[in-house]
Amino acid sequence: MALDKNSLNSIPVHQINDSDLDAAGVSLSILRCDLIHPELSGNKWFKLKYNLLAAKEQGYDTLLSFGGAWSNHLHALAAAGKLFDFNTIGVIRGEATAPLNPCLSDAVGHGMKLHWVSREEYRNKKSADFINALKAKFGRFFLIPEGGSGLAGITGCQEIIQAEQVNEYDLICLACGTGTTLAGIVSAACPPVLGFQVLKGKGYLASEVESLLSDKQLLARNSWSINDTYHFGGYGKVKPELLTFIANFEERTNIPLEPVYSGKMLFGLYDLIKQDYFQKNTRVLVVHGGGLQGARGFI
Ligand SMILES: *Cc1c(COP(=O)(O)O)cnc(C)c1O
């Protein structure tokens, strides 16, 4: 597939109808970034795009990045490498496992080379020594930050909300890990934004997003806030009521969720809707960030 600015940018929107929404007078639509491409889905495509374009422009044939053994980012990077003709190297945090889990097995199937490093080494992954050792081992590569964060990642995420959607909705909701996607959305034209933090820690992500925006000299174009209530104990942690919510939502709507991001966000959003947190006639657009491959880790 040819790589250009407009690759994989058309995202279907699906409207949800159910009694909770009717009772609260809220309308809910879902921006299905999970449907962008069968193998390269979600916000991770937008976070990768300008990294890939820069790599091509600078004549790199190999991309390297970092992540855990269930990383949606590395899964997407491997798929992007296959689609757009790059070699890919994934630096994986932790002990090598055999057999590989389904996430890494997909990545290897797409041609990704895996390089395992201990948790301790992984913490130093930004150090010059660590990067130089990788260069000595793998040769010339284009380095993409963990999770696709960084300015290139933010710039890609500025394209998630389409111009016509700015007036069609009153609120954008999304799940936040690093907050890069939220930073991209709020620094482009958008309705007000409500992020749901999936990691534990009162208020920490809002201040990280503030510094992310100011570091990159970006201004929020509309109001935004982050709800830190619905983390279910922390990153990757689940509770039975979350899994039940996801199963019920999928059955009602035919829209698949996963428990790390989209499940927690929609659980939180429905909880707020049931508490009449939103004004009547609020039109909400939820960004489905994809990452469904990760749900295989919870079966
Ligand atoms: C990575 C990811 C997120 C979080 O994106 P950030 O830019 O790190 O906030 C949300 N949803 C899914 C499905 C993801 O894979």
Side-chain angles (χ1 to χ4, degrees):
M1 187 185 287
L3 173 65
D4 65 50
K5 233 182 93 37
N6 299 316
S7 306
L8 309 181
N9 266 17
S10 111
I11 318 172
V13 175
H14 290 161
Q15 171 131 24
I16 309 297
N17 297 304
D18 70 29
S19 51
D20 288 339
L21 300 170
D22 292 345
V26 168
S27 87
L28 181 61
S29 303
I30 305 213
L31 186 62
R32 300 288 308 274
C33 298
D34 56 315
L35 296 179
I36 288 174
H37 183 273
E39 283 155 2
L40 177 48
S41 90
N43 62 343
K44 298 301 182 285
W45 158 244
F46 289 93
K47 293 167 93 173
L48 283 172
K49 180 160 78 164
Y50 286 97
N51 286 293
L52 304 186
L53 287 164
K56 271 271 193 278
E57 203 174 288
Q58 296 165 34
Y60 285 89
D61 58 15
T62 301
L63 310 168
L64 177 142
S65 194
F66 309 91
W70 280 101
S71 167
N72 289 335
H73 164 62
L74 289 182
H75 193 269
L77 179 65
K82 182 179 142 198
L83 268 181
F84 299 118
D85 216 10
F86 289 101
N87 305 315
T88 53
I89 301 165
V91 178
I92 318 289
R93 181 184 63 229
E95 297 288 314
T97 56
L100 294 173
N101 72 25
C103 171
L104 294 178
S105 155
D106 286 352
V108 168
H110 292 149
M112 180 173 264
K113 233 185 246 174
L114 305 184
H115 178 64
W116 298 84
V117 301
S118 69
R119 284 169 187 274
E120 201 179 330
E121 280 178 277
Y122 192 87
R123 251 176 256 131
N124 295 323
K125 65 182 173 301
K126 289 186 180 157
S127 76
D129 283 354
F130 185 77
I131 304 293
N132 286 335
L134 291 172
K135 283 186 184 152
K137 189 172 167 68
F138 295 111
R140 186 172 183 261
F141 55 74
F142 185 90
L143 190 150
I144 299 177
E146 181 181 39
S149 55
L151 185 58
I154 296 178
T155 306
C157 293
Q158 291 176 334
E159 298 175 3
I160 291 177
I161 302 301
Q162 305 299 303
E164 68 274 13
Q165 292 166 346
V166 176
N167 296 319
E168 280 171 11
Y169 298 99
D170 306 301
L171 182 70
I172 304 288
C173 289
L174 76 160
C176 298
T178 63
T180 308
T181 307
L182 185 141
I185 289 176
V186 301
S187 59
C190 65
V193 174
L194 173 60
F196 289 82
Q197 175 185 318
V198 304
L199 285 86
K200 199 156 89 176
K202 266 221 157 323
Y204 91 94
L205 189 60
S207 51
E208 287 205 354
V209 171
E210 298 273 6
S211 25
L212 195 57
L213 289 169
S214 67
D215 283 357
K216 310 294 182 203
Q217 302 185 323
L218 294 167
L219 287 177
R221 303 265 300 268
N222 209 330
S223 59
W224 61 273
S225 62
I226 293 180
N227 177 300
D228 58 15
T229 315
Y230 298 100
H231 54 70
F232 289 88
Y235 185 76
K237 301 264 170 66
V238 299
K239 299 221 162 109
E241 64 265 33
L242 174 63
L243 300 176
T244 305
F245 171 84
I246 291 172
N248 288 341
F249 184 85
E250 290 182 353
E251 196 176 298
R252 280 201 325 272
T253 64
N254 268 322
I255 297 180
L257 304 176
E258 44 69 44
V260 182
Y261 294 103
S262 53
K264 289 183 182 178
M265 172 214 358
L266 277 156
F267 184 103
L269 180 60
Y270 267 81
D271 202 42
L272 294 177
I273 286 172
K274 281 186 246 164
Q275 295 168 31
D276 282 328
Y277 180 87
F278 302 104
Q279 283 182 357
K280 289 252 179 286
N281 302 320
T282 301
R283 300 163 299 170
V284 180
L285 180 66
V286 158
V287 179
H288 190 315
L292 294 167
Q293 67 91 19
R296 297 175 297 181
F298 291 86
I299 293 165

